[in-house]
Amino acid sequence: MPNPSNEVAVPDNVTVLGAGLMGHGIAQVFATAGSRVRVWDPSAAALASLHQRVRENIELLVSHGVRLPTASDDIIDRIEAHDDLASAVAAAGLIFEAAPESLELKRRLLADVDRLNDQAVVASNTSVLRINDIAAGNPGARRLIGTHWWNPPYLIPIVEVIPGTETAPAITAAVIEWLEAVGKTAILVRKDVPGFIGNRLQFALWREAMQLVEDGVCDAQSVDTVARNTFGLRLSSMGPIENADFIGLDLVQAIMNYVLPDLAINGGAPVLVDDAVAEGRLGAKAGEGILSWHSGARSEAQERLVAGILRSLTAGEPIG
């Protein structure tokens, strides 16, 4: 995991729009690196729990032996909760938008931000939406860029950086430098496509996984067991293209020509997912999805996820 750069200054004033799953973690990263971070959210409940959730993240990291570059109280003290958008963005040099994944919502919010602060660099944390779609009609489009953080954002090292057609090259360069200064690995996405890099890979896998269950090839637990204990074991050490080269492209060619025509090609969510959503089986938060989730199972899965990620990263290095 890269260490923060000593040559690039972290922005003094950062604003995060959204105190939810991603927003509070992004705020934690920059506060850990020394920035003053204002977090805005229209939800009073989200703001009220902001500091406690960051504290719990820090405690979880420390419990796994992670060394933080600064005291936890200092990190908490650098994060301010705001329910007024104007005061939250007024002094910011860098603004992260971490609103729900709705194109219209993001457009409206960023239009308001541009009226309140027409100088800041604005980074939209979207998982799949094209940056050109988000920036359409925004007077500050040259200062707007995509930054796709991964959950948990205080732990996953990669942030995908997606400039739009109108994004100024200097903005792209600055955002990459700032992300690397807080310990992240910034990956430049050269073409603004839906889902960028990681989610295109991830959802291609999910589509096939769910189709296997829908077609009766195996049950859901078997899909997850195979994924976790075969190629899942090697992915952190060898990516898919390197692995293809490693085993030989002549073999890969033969396998692809035989298997690919039989893989799922549906252009939308599988029936398995559509049926579950229609029946209110929304996953862990509802206690039932494709799998059954008993009380406490989501917390157990979160702990297993964090522990697994930390085992895959270099032990003992500061984490933003």
Side-chain angles (χ1 to χ4, degrees):
M1 185 167 191
N3 286 320
S5 167
N6 293 322
E7 299 177 0
V8 179
V10 177
D12 292 330
N13 292 298
V14 175
T15 294
V16 178
L17 307 177
L21 182 67
M22 301 303 292
H24 85 284
I26 295 172
Q28 177 182 331
V29 170
F30 276 87
T32 300
S35 299
R36 302 293 306 182
V37 185
R38 295 177 175 87
V39 179
W40 170 85
D41 200 291
S43 167
L47 292 178
S49 65
L50 171 63
H51 288 144
Q52 180 58 32
R53 284 180 287 136
V54 172
R55 190 176 297 280
E56 289 171 358
N57 294 344
I58 293 170
E59 290 172 353
L60 183 60
L61 291 174
V62 172
S63 73
H64 283 278
V66 173
R67 293 186 297 106
L68 296 173
T70 188
S72 60
D73 286 344
D74 291 340
I75 297 170
I76 301 296
D77 288 344
R78 293 187 189 120
I79 300 174
E80 300 176 5
H82 284 252
D83 59 5
D84 177 66
L85 183 62
S87 66
V89 304
L94 174 61
I95 299 172
F96 286 99
E97 171 268 305
E101 198 76 337
S102 161
L103 178 59
E104 291 308 314
L105 174 61
K106 289 179 183 289
R107 280 178 172 172
R108 289 196 305 269
L109 178 58
L110 294 181
D112 290 340
V113 168
D114 189 75
R115 286 192 290 271
L116 296 167
N117 183 335
D118 62 0
Q119 299 298 314
V121 174
V122 180
S124 176
N125 176 54
T126 173
S127 299
V128 297
L129 298 175
R130 294 178 70 245
I131 303 308
N132 286 325
D133 292 341
I134 294 173
N138 191 306
R142 65 174 300 279
R143 295 179 288 103
L144 202 157
I145 192 167
T147 53
H148 175 214
W149 298 64
W150 288 77
N151 184 45
Y154 59 89
L155 192 54
I156 299 289
I158 295 291
V159 179
E160 293 171 289
V161 177
I162 314 98
T165 303
E166 296 186 56
T167 306
I171 298 297
T172 302
V175 168
I176 288 173
E177 288 185 340
W178 287 333
L179 288 169
E180 292 183 345
V182 298
K184 295 302 177 184
T185 299
I187 300 295
L188 177 63
V189 180
R190 300 180 186 276
K191 188 175 182 180
D192 182 21
V193 295
F196 319 126
I197 301 170
N199 265 328
R200 291 178 78 93
L201 295 171
Q202 178 170 244
F203 277 85
L205 172 61
W206 288 9
R207 177 175 62 185
E208 186 62 32
M210 292 172 182
Q211 196 66 48
L212 287 168
V213 177
E214 187 175 309
D215 289 345
V217 175
C218 59
D219 59 23
Q221 290 86 349
S222 296
V223 169
D224 285 353
T225 298
V226 169
R228 288 171 58 191
N229 293 283
T230 55
F231 59 86
L233 292 175
R234 65 182 180 224
L235 273 175
S236 63
S237 301
M238 184 177 289
I241 294 178
E242 182 184 12
N243 192 23
D245 267 1
F246 181 76
I247 67 174
L249 294 181
D250 51 343
L251 175 58
V252 169
Q253 180 188 50
I255 293 172
M256 282 182 160
N257 286 337
Y258 186 81
V259 172
L260 293 188
D262 199 53
L263 297 186
I265 57 171
N266 45 301
V271 174
L272 183 74
V273 175
D274 288 341
D275 287 350
V277 172
E279 295 167 8
R281 295 183 286 111
L282 303 182
K285 63 184 178 182
E288 188 79 17
I290 297 171
L291 303 171
S292 293
W293 293 78
H294 62 77
S295 178
R298 193 180 191 286
S299 296
E300 293 168 6
Q302 176 73 9
E303 168 65 22
R304 186 177 73 246
L305 174 65
V306 170
I309 293 170
L310 284 169
R311 282 195 300 270
S312 296
L313 297 173
T314 302
E317 290 189 358
I319 290 179

